[in-house]
Amino acid sequence: MQRVVRFFPVVFGFLFLAATSQANSTAEAQQNSGCVRLDRVTASRATSNGIEIRSGAAVMRITALRDDVLRVRVGQAGELPEDASWAVLPASRTATVAATPESSDSAVGFKTAKLRVSVQRNPLAITVTDLDGHVIADQLPGRPIEYHGDAFRAYFKSPQDEHYFALGDKPGPLDRRNEAFVDWNTDAFGWQESTDPIYKSIPFFITFHKGVSAGIFLDNTWRASFDFNKEYRDGYSFGSPGGPLDYYILYGPAPKAVVESWAWLVGTTPLPPLWSLGYQQSRYSYYPEAEVRRIGARLRSERIPADVIWLDIDYQLSNRPFTVDPQRFPHFEQMIKDLKAEHLHTVVITDLHIAHLPNAGYKPYDEGTAGDHFVKNPDGSTYVGSVWPGPAVFPDFTQQASREWWGTLYADFVSKGVAGFWNDMNEPAVFGVASKTMPDDVQHRIDGSGFAARTASHLEIHNVFGMQNSRGTFDGLRKLSPDTRPFVMTRASYAGGQRYAATWTGDNSSTWNHFRQTTPQLLNLGLSGFAMSGADVGGFAGSPQSELLTRWLEVAAFHPIDRDHTAVGTAPQEPWENGTKKDVDLRRRYIEERYRLMPYIYTTTEEMSRTGLPIMRPLFLEFPTDVNGEPFDLSDSNSFLLGPDLLVAQSPYPDETDDYSVALPPVGWYDYWSGAEVDGHAGRKAIDNTAIKQQEVHIHPTIDTVPVFVRAGAIVPEQPLVQSTEQKPDGPLTLRVYPPIKPGDDCHGSLYLDDGVSYAFQKGDFLRVAFTCSVTAHGLTLTVAPRQGSFVPWWNQLSIEVYGQGKAAKSASASAAGASDGARPISARFDAEHHRITAVIPDDGKGLEMQLAY
């Protein structure tokens, strides 16, 4: 039992100073050896929100930002590093809650309403637990925090059954255990499953142990490394050769709570334009102008729903950013207008390397030079590196003035109607040098963003450079068109970069292994904050086999961003290419299904913008434990959830024809395609190609069907098929009701809608509707709540589809909310093939109730 002692400031301060003085000789010896080890507590003092500790000359401050969020800062020479961050929101970084000091003969620490922090005096070791005693973070015995010059490393215990997730788009399995990684944004064309590092540095990971989850974020933009059980079987560690030791601990205990706390700390993805959720067609490159028009016309003539055509670098004059080649695109502005008339938005690439063209009338170079906006060499000259346009200069995005100037460069494209922008090559990539990037000693001028004005080397800024590039783009677009939601795509970024841009997994390859790798990458990106993410569908490098392209397009219909993109010199891989008529029909069918699901997808996206919960989710995020309270199966890297209710059970080896099994969370499930309830009894055939046994679904893979399951108790909104998100659906809104397996279990759903383009939703011009259902042995009652918000939707009828039904309803009735004249009979049709009962009823937005009697 811990003994709690109240700290008295005067006495404590005297003891703190005395103990610090006694430790000087030890600290001096360590510094002389080139190593500073925080190996024992030599002094400590309570603060209002935590504790400050001395270990020789080193200082450590642990503070509570919230009852469930801690911050740990260390300074090896007695002073803490600058209190600033590119990632953490200022209000979160400076938040505080009161802490209660605790002390014993062997440890000092404090507690909050949710956590207890105990720092063992000798040897110094930090242990963080919740108030029930579950260990959240525990330093590895005998391995204190160590400094070797400016380099540091911190070590923690790793129980054998603890698992690790996030860290961005690192290739490899979903679970990071037994892996090691480096954060150094890298142009990694043709990366493979073992390649590291690649494009993004997101030094945040999630721990999961016996149903209890936490997050750890090392806020350090320098090259950093993370080791999970490589150096020490029973330990993980993180460190960097420079920069601050400044890390955060976020307590769950549920994984969802950790993700939401991460969003509170670094921000969420803003609500994107609706069109960015539609199907998108791209390649390197569509040119000349006639080819772009041909692709747009073919999408429409093939009746393949689509919203976006992307233009890669070949639309530019000699690859120079913010130019248009007048020979290849003689009517560029008219082309944009004509595509827009067909409800096709245009996204164009705008790389950050400005062609080095003095005295040539090239506006970006001339303005950037006049404004002193470019990155410098140590001698003060402008740094020049070779990229796509040849010799190029680079905006100094750590300067607020330079970011603001960069944003103005988009004015001409915005005025012409270009809808979105693609910031590629912003690791930053540089050609012809072994490092693939700028020299370490290139100088960046930090000005603004809460930092003290100073000059920093590229070693410090490299990992945040792409994030600040996309920040300049996003902020510039907001100024140019204040009531239009920007769409920015970035390749490189840092933690918190989701505030400014969506992302993708970079230059993947047209191989089965890369198709397989896509799911864990997107899941970990979502857990890392980048919920609006995708992969180059079909693969970028190389040409896919026709079956590979078909299966990739099928699964990508359930991804946050659905963009088919390929490299120069590869075979065409639009949906109508490289396949039989059956392939084209299947590809079209799944893209169509994405558009039918758009109300559900957009509702999930709006939730993401508020909470940080990703659109595409690992199973453990929704189902951290089974019915017995044990951790749910974490070995499945290929199944995923689209939103909270749709489970896509992709094959672990999609190029194989072998049957495979998927463990379904124990809540009850329906087959999305047939509508049948998935039964857990051995031997019973529940859906096509699927037999169920003891909560495990055995699947025989076919190219025709991606196995998709719906959680029992879900109500999924869908719409009639459209060819773009701008097309008004014709018909009723469909509510697909999947009753709970047991009477009394939860049953609910929701829908969010707005104009999909503007910020009018922030002023109340949105629609939000909640749906619930209740089940008894004799029937089902569906309740549609009154609409919230002022946005007027496109429907005036609801098509209610109740699944899992084996026979027609005995009766069906509906009534308006609060009606005093009772329910009126309605027609309900039974569809045996899809195991559903359907009723169409008017919807005036004031709320209603429908009852089915079995």
Side-chain angles (χ1 to χ4, degrees):
M1 180 176 180
Q2 285 191 319
R3 179 163 54 90
V4 179
V5 177
R6 294 189 182 276
F7 293 93
F8 295 93
V10 175
V11 176
F12 187 88
F14 174 78
L15 294 174
F16 181 75
L17 293 172
T20 302
S21 177
Q22 293 172 3
N24 281 346
S25 59
T26 301
E28 184 177 352
Q30 288 185 359
Q31 289 174 343
N32 288 339
S33 69
C35 172
V36 173
R37 306 176 78 233
L38 279 69
D39 57 357
R40 60 193 179 98
V41 176
T42 55
S44 63
R45 68 178 181 89
T47 65
S48 63
N49 61 348
I51 192 169
E52 184 170 293
I53 292 166
R54 295 280 176 170
S55 180
V59 60
M60 174 190 296
R61 186 176 296 164
I62 309 173
T63 54
L65 308 185
R66 296 190 330 198
D67 289 322
D68 55 355
V69 178
L70 306 174
R71 184 183 185 189
V72 182
R73 302 170 66 205
V74 180
Q76 65 164 319
E79 293 185 4
L80 294 173
E82 182 181 7
D83 190 3
S85 176
W86 298 105
V88 180
L89 299 173
S92 301
R93 183 171 50 81
T94 57
T96 184
V97 295
T100 302
E102 294 186 337
S103 180
S104 69
D105 292 339
S106 60
V108 294
F110 63 91
K111 72 174 182 178
T112 71
K114 293 185 178 181
L115 296 175
R116 173 169 278 114
V117 177
S118 177
V119 184
Q120 185 174 295
R121 294 179 186 273
N122 192 8
L124 188 156
I126 303 171
T127 300
V128 180
T129 68
D130 64 17
L131 299 188
D132 292 327
H134 297 115
V135 176
I136 308 306
D138 196 6
Q139 281 194 296
L140 194 65
R143 289 310 307 252
I145 294 171
E146 290 185 359
Y147 282 87
H148 294 270
D150 292 330
F152 64 83
R153 195 149 203 91
Y155 296 83
F156 295 83
K157 291 181 183 177
S158 175
Q160 291 185 1
D161 50 356
E162 186 164 81
H163 304 271
Y164 308 98
F165 306 94
L167 285 177
D169 58 351
K170 301 291 189 185
L174 178 65
D175 189 351
R176 305 304 195 185
R177 191 176 180 92
N178 298 316
E179 304 285 339
F181 304 95
V182 171
D183 274 356
W184 186 252
N185 294 356
T186 301
D187 178 5
F189 174 81
W191 58 264
Q192 297 301 316
E193 194 167 4
S194 59
T195 303
D196 184 66
I198 58 171
Y199 305 98
K200 281 169 276 294
S201 295
I202 308 178
F204 166 73
F205 61 92
I206 295 174
T207 68
F208 191 78
H209 182 231
K210 294 187 181 300
V212 176
S213 191
I216 294 181
F217 171 47
L218 173 63
D219 194 4
N220 182 304
T221 62
W222 296 60
R223 186 183 184 99
S225 61
F226 299 82
D227 183 297
F228 300 98
N229 320 103
K230 288 283 192 181
E231 182 181 7
Y232 292 102
R233 183 195 64 180
D234 301 321
Y236 68 83
S237 65
F238 52 82
S240 173
L245 177 47
D246 184 356
Y247 68 95
Y248 297 77
I249 301 173
L250 292 68
Y251 170 61
K256 268 189 174 181
V258 174
V259 173
E260 290 181 290
S261 292
W262 175 235
W264 172 82
L265 193 69
V266 299
T268 64
T269 300
L271 186 62
L274 177 60
W275 59 260
S276 67
L277 298 170
Y279 176 71
Q280 308 181 30
Q281 190 62 56
S282 180
R283 79 164 292 129
Y284 168 30
S285 286
Y286 287 135
Y287 73 92
E289 180 180 314
E291 176 66 3
V292 179
R293 292 178 178 273
R294 184 187 74 83
I295 293 296
R298 189 70 183 269
L299 284 165
R300 292 296 177 239
S301 67
E302 291 282 352
R303 303 292 293 172
I304 293 173
D307 271 82
V308 188
I309 293 179
W310 291 62
L311 300 184
D312 211 317
I313 59 175
D314 290 301
Y315 81 91
Q316 300 170 138
L317 177 63
S318 302
N319 296 331
R320 299 167 188 169
F322 300 100
T323 66
V324 175
D325 187 327
Q327 298 298 318
R328 290 176 172 175
F329 290 86
H331 312 102
F332 181 81
E333 184 173 2
Q334 188 60 49
M335 179 194 74
I336 300 296
K337 292 178 180 178
D338 292 344
L339 290 172
K340 192 173 182 178
E342 292 294 325
H343 305 296
L344 289 169
H345 298 79
T346 310
V347 175
V348 304
I349 201 166
T350 52
D351 289 339
L352 76 175
H353 40 254
I354 300 299
H356 183 251
L357 290 173
N359 304 314
Y362 177 42
K363 177 182 175 182
Y365 178 84
D366 293 343
E367 286 188 355
T369 299
D372 193 22
H373 291 304
F374 298 131
V375 170
K376 305 289 187 180
N377 290 308
D379 64 2
S381 61
T382 299
Y383 168 73
V384 180
S386 179
V387 204
W388 290 119
V393 293
F394 300 79
D396 200 351
F397 292 110
T398 53
Q399 290 190 120
Q400 180 175 334
S402 296
R403 290 195 303 272
E404 291 177 350
W405 162 73
W406 171 263
T408 67
L409 297 178
Y410 289 90
D412 186 51
F413 281 148
V414 169
S415 70
K416 287 179 168 60
V418 175
F421 298 94
W422 180 10
N423 292 160
D424 197 6
M425 305 294 288
N426 54 356
E427 290 72 30
V430 176
F431 295 162
V433 293
S435 69
K436 299 183 179 181
T437 192
M438 296 176 180
D440 293 347
D441 60 357
V442 161
Q443 301 295 293
H444 301 266
R445 292 157 289 173
I446 298 176
D447 182 24
S449 303
F451 287 85
R454 58 185 173 87
T455 299
S457 76
H458 191 64
L459 286 170
E460 178 181 351
I461 300 304
H462 176 88
N463 283 340
V464 80
F465 196 72
M467 174 190 184
Q468 297 307 302
N469 168 215
S470 59
R471 178 184 182 183
T473 304
F474 181 87
D475 290 347
L477 295 175
R478 286 300 315 269
K479 289 182 179 179
L480 289 169
S481 189
D483 200 36
T484 301
R485 300 176 216 168
F487 178 78
V488 182
M489 174 75 84
T490 187
R491 190 168 74 175
S493 199
Y494 181 68
Q498 68 269 12
R499 303 193 297 263
Y500 314 116
T503 194
W504 88 109
T505 61
D507 295 341
N508 61 0
S509 299
S510 298
T511 66
W512 288 100
N513 194 47
H514 274 244
F515 174 39
R516 176 176 176 266
Q517 177 62 52
T518 297
T519 295
Q521 276 192 294
L522 295 184
L523 291 175
N524 275 319
L525 272 169
L527 293 173
S528 304
F530 279 88
M532 277 291 287
S533 59
D536 286 345
V537 177
F540 180 71
S543 302
Q545 301 167 25
S546 62
E547 182 180 348
L548 172 59
L549 179 58
T550 299
R551 289 188 180 273
W552 210 324
L553 281 164
E554 289 175 342
V555 173
F558 302 96
H559 288 168
I561 293 177
D562 186 6
R563 181 184 75 148
D564 180 340
H565 182 58
T566 189
V568 63
T570 62
Q573 64 180 48
E574 293 78 25
W576 56 84
E577 300 282 3
N578 186 16
T580 64
K581 181 180 184 302
K582 178 181 178 180
D583 285 309
V584 177
D585 289 344
L586 284 171
R587 297 164 187 173
R588 181 188 297 108
R589 170 193 165 196
Y590 277 86
I591 295 171
E592 288 176 344
E593 200 62 36
R594 180 182 184 89
Y595 279 77
R596 291 190 179 97
L597 277 167
M598 198 56 68
Y600 174 79
I601 295 172
Y602 194 54
T603 299
T604 301
T605 302
E606 191 273 337
E607 179 190 38
M608 166 210 73
S609 72
R610 289 183 291 107
T611 67
L613 293 175
I615 300 168
M616 182 175 170
R617 306 173 184 181
L619 271 58
F620 76 84
L621 192 66
E622 290 287 339
F623 306 101
T625 58
D626 63 19
V627 290
N628 300 313
E630 295 297 319
F632 186 64
D633 179 26
L634 297 172
S635 63
D636 189 349
S637 291
N638 299 95
S639 296
F640 63 90
L641 291 158
L642 175 62
D645 296 322
L646 299 185
L647 193 160
V648 181
Q650 184 183 0
S651 170
Y653 297 97
D655 54 331
E656 296 181 356
T657 59
D658 298 333
D659 292 1
Y660 63 98
S661 298
V662 174
L664 295 179
V667 295
W669 295 88
Y670 293 83
D671 175 52
Y672 178 78
W673 305 112
S674 74
E677 180 184 332
V678 176
D679 196 302
H681 294 92
R684 174 173 172 180
K685 292 286 184 179
I687 60 175
D688 294 342
N689 301 322
T690 306
I692 310 304
K693 183 178 180 181
Q694 296 178 348
Q695 301 296 333
E696 197 169 78
V697 183
H698 300 278
I699 297 172
H700 176 68
T702 70
I703 195 171
D704 300 70
T705 303
V706 175
V708 180
F709 304 96
V710 190
R711 185 205 301 239
I715 302 176
V716 178
E718 293 193 0
Q719 68 183 22
L721 178 63
V722 292
Q723 292 299 301
S724 81
T725 59
E726 289 186 340
Q727 182 183 346
K728 181 180 178 180
D730 183 14
L733 174 74
T734 297
L735 298 182
R736 298 180 66 154
V737 181
Y738 298 89
I741 302 303
K742 294 184 295 185
D745 282 358
D746 184 43
C747 177
H748 70 276
S750 64
L751 180 142
Y752 174 86
L753 189 62
D754 57 30
D755 66 19
V757 177
S758 77
Y759 287 94
F761 69 92
Q762 295 178 343
K763 301 175 183 178
D765 192 17
F766 62 84
L767 171 71
R768 197 183 300 278
V769 189
F771 318 110
T772 58
C773 83
S774 59
V775 175
T776 68
H778 306 292
L780 175 144
T781 299
L782 171 73
T783 301
V784 178
R787 296 173 187 168
Q788 299 177 21
S790 61
F791 186 77
V792 179
W794 44 265
W795 69 86
N796 53 31
Q797 288 182 312
L798 297 177
S799 176
I800 313 296
E801 299 178 352
V802 181
Y803 286 88
Q805 305 305 302
K807 59 183 179 179
K810 291 181 178 179
S811 64
S813 62
S815 61
S820 59
D821 53 353
R824 57 181 177 79
I826 59 173
S827 174
R829 180 172 53 88
F830 174 59
D831 178 353
E833 180 183 358
H834 294 98
H835 304 85
R836 71 187 175 203
I837 296 171
T838 302
V840 178
I841 54 180
D843 177 28
D844 61 6
K846 298 178 181 179
L848 58 89
E849 186 175 279
M850 186 195 78
Q851 294 182 331
L852 294 178
Y854 300 153

